[in-house]
Amino acid sequence: MLLPLLSLFLPLAWAAQVPFSRPSHVPTHGISSISRVLELGGALAKDTFVYTLSADGEGGYGGEVEIFVGIAEEERERLTWAEAWEGREKERGVRKLAGIREVGFEEESRSYIYAISLPSSSTSTPRHITLSLLHTRPSVPHPPTLPQTADSSQFMLWTGSLNLGLPVHSPPAELSIKVKTPTPRIRQHSVTNDDEKRWTSKLPTGSNTVSFSLRDLDDLPTKQWIGRVHYEASEPVIVFRDLERIVQVSHWGNSLGVSEAMTLVNAGPKLEGHFSRLAHQSALFLKRTTSLSHVLTSLSFVLPPSIKNPYYIDTVGNVSTSNFVPSIKPAINFPSMKDNKGYSRLDIFPRYPVLGGWNYSFEIGYDATSRSTPHSPLKVSRRMRSAAPT
């Protein structure tokens, strides 16, 4: 079973709570529409906003283009990555990164305010700003426990703010929010704290996308609207609790030794009752994928190419249930990928199936030549690819 790619992201540098007051002047541009797409998974969720700006008049956008967006206090605690650029997400070419900074905290809406800025432009054509956010642990298992039966399937409950990313200086003319789930099995979707019934949610038959739409957005909201989606997660929800990497470099011997010790936790629904090895082996033999969807039985790690002596151990000792595939070449080599030498893959199978609420500590490592590691000749430190589970 291959899990989605989990990367290590640098957290945002949170600033102190500086009071924020909404700007009194009207900017020389307006936000005609906002499109938001939230892709739910297990341990991570990707949030993408596209702001369409329109200039007022024929003089262009005047000076620096700046918009202020709010992120609810609860959402900020789960935020681990933020990036903004000019243009749409699917546009080709080099992205022109936009400046993004935290400017203060608004007490009325209980939101942290971020400023996104673009350079000035004399053109009056619409401009687009894309804001990409990454959330950790966006959903919780619901129900929180699950028995070890043949027809048991794990469901997750996402609860999040629909105000996330809304501008604070002027309401948009159009607002579209789409929530995508891993599978089309969605039990429930709704909006809470909506006494005026201004929100509507739609789910086409057989679709895995819930669409939220807001009507009568004549003024900026001062309260938080909360969206809820109860969906099926078809793969284990894996969280790495800690990771320690040790790199031993020998410049005389042209060798590099890497070891990574880590502890993972299955953050899915906890096991209800006792574990039965017989029931687990029966599910494997009969290929009952539903009862195994939340159980971690294998992991694959992408490693640098041309490595030697890979190993996999846990707290008991050496684990022989592993498979190493050296130097896998890319399926397609584009001209821009001429320096891509491929990768290696280490498939590991834990000593026991990791069910919901269980953890597993282990260590992987390998040897490589120091010359094969990407580096900069102007710096002593070397850049290494992290062992990323797939």
Side-chain angles (χ1 to χ4, degrees):
M1 182 182 297
L2 299 181
L3 297 180
L5 178 66
L6 294 180
S7 302
L8 301 177
F9 297 92
L10 295 176
L12 294 175
W14 305 127
Q17 284 193 8
V18 179
F20 173 81
S21 58
R22 302 197 176 194
S24 57
H25 65 281
V26 179
T28 59
H29 59 274
I31 300 179
S32 58
S33 65
I34 299 178
S35 174
R36 176 187 178 187
V37 178
L38 175 62
E39 301 176 49
L40 295 175
L44 297 175
K46 181 183 178 182
D47 219 344
T48 304
F49 301 81
V50 177
Y51 302 89
T52 301
L53 309 182
S54 58
D56 296 338
E58 299 179 355
Y61 292 85
E64 183 184 54
V65 177
E66 192 170 48
I67 63 173
F68 297 90
V69 299
I71 297 180
E73 191 174 14
E74 297 80 8
E75 299 287 344
R76 180 184 183 257
E77 295 176 357
R78 298 196 295 260
L79 189 62
T80 186
W81 181 263
E83 186 180 34
W85 64 89
E86 183 175 4
R88 298 177 183 269
E89 183 183 23
K90 296 183 179 180
E91 291 181 356
R92 296 183 179 181
V94 181
R95 292 176 176 176
K96 299 179 181 179
L97 294 180
I100 177 173
R101 69 186 191 278
E102 182 180 305
V103 295
F105 180 79
E106 189 177 50
E107 186 68 31
E108 183 180 8
S109 61
R110 303 298 300 175
S111 299
Y112 288 85
I113 309 302
Y114 289 81
I116 305 176
S117 57
L118 292 178
S120 60
S121 175
S122 58
T123 179
S124 58
T125 59
R127 303 177 70 179
H128 303 281
I129 295 179
T130 298
L131 173 64
S132 179
L133 306 177
L134 193 68
H135 309 274
T136 59
R137 306 292 293 273
S139 308
V140 295
H142 187 74
T145 61
L146 204 61
Q148 189 183 359
T149 57
D151 58 348
S152 56
S153 180
Q154 70 171 348
F155 280 80
M156 307 292 290
L157 177 63
W158 169 76
T159 304
S161 172
L162 299 180
N163 302 56
L164 183 65
L166 286 182
V168 300
H169 45 72
S170 61
E174 297 180 15
L175 176 61
S176 170
I177 301 177
K178 294 183 179 180
V179 180
K180 296 184 177 180
T181 60
T183 67
R185 297 190 62 185
I186 300 176
R187 288 182 172 177
Q188 185 260 350
H189 54 91
S190 62
V191 179
T192 62
N193 197 25
D194 182 22
D195 300 332
E196 299 86 359
K197 304 298 181 182
R198 299 172 66 180
W199 284 92
T200 58
S201 59
K202 297 180 180 179
L203 176 64
T205 304
S207 174
N208 68 329
T209 302
V210 180
S211 300
F212 293 95
S213 58
L214 177 63
R215 59 183 178 88
D216 301 331
L217 188 60
D218 297 329
D219 53 357
L220 292 170
T222 57
K223 66 178 181 180
Q224 293 291 333
W225 286 307
I226 305 300
R228 293 165 56 93
V229 178
H230 192 200
Y231 64 96
E232 180 191 30
S234 57
E235 293 181 335
V237 182
I238 302 303
V239 176
F240 284 84
R241 190 169 60 189
D242 54 63
L243 186 150
E244 179 182 5
R245 171 187 290 176
I246 299 178
V247 180
Q248 298 177 342
V249 182
S250 174
H251 298 288
W252 295 104
N254 188 27
S255 63
L256 190 73
V258 180
S259 63
E260 295 186 349
M262 60 196 80
T263 300
L264 61 83
V265 179
N266 189 334
K270 296 182 178 180
L271 174 64
E272 182 178 318
H274 298 285
F275 171 70
S276 171
R277 170 66 70 170
L278 178 60
H280 177 72
Q281 293 300 127
S282 299
L284 288 175
F285 180 77
L286 299 175
K287 297 181 180 181
R288 295 171 178 167
T289 56
T290 303
S291 61
L292 295 174
S293 62
H294 57 283
V295 181
L296 177 65
T297 57
S298 65
L299 275 173
S300 293
F301 289 87
V302 176
L303 303 176
S306 305
I307 65 173
K308 301 178 297 183
N309 306 323
Y311 68 88
Y312 160 46
I313 60 176
D314 59 10
T315 54
V316 177
N318 182 57
V319 185
S320 59
T321 53
S322 62
N323 180 44
F324 177 65
V325 183
S327 299
I328 302 175
K329 294 293 183 180
I332 301 177
N333 258 325
F334 296 99
S336 60
M337 300 171 58
K338 61 181 180 179
D339 296 330
N340 190 352
K341 299 180 180 179
Y343 59 94
S344 302
R345 192 182 75 229
L346 178 62
D347 303 325
I348 68 172
F349 301 87
R351 194 178 295 271
Y352 53 87
V354 183
L355 282 78
W358 293 12
N359 60 65
Y360 182 61
S361 300
F362 62 98
E363 178 182 332
I364 64 172
Y366 57 88
D367 296 328
T369 59
S370 58
R371 292 185 181 274
S372 64
T373 305
H375 64 281
S376 172
L378 300 179
K379 297 181 179 180
V380 178
S381 61
R382 294 177 180 266
R383 303 190 300 271
M384 294 191 56
R385 174 187 289 182
S386 172
T390 61

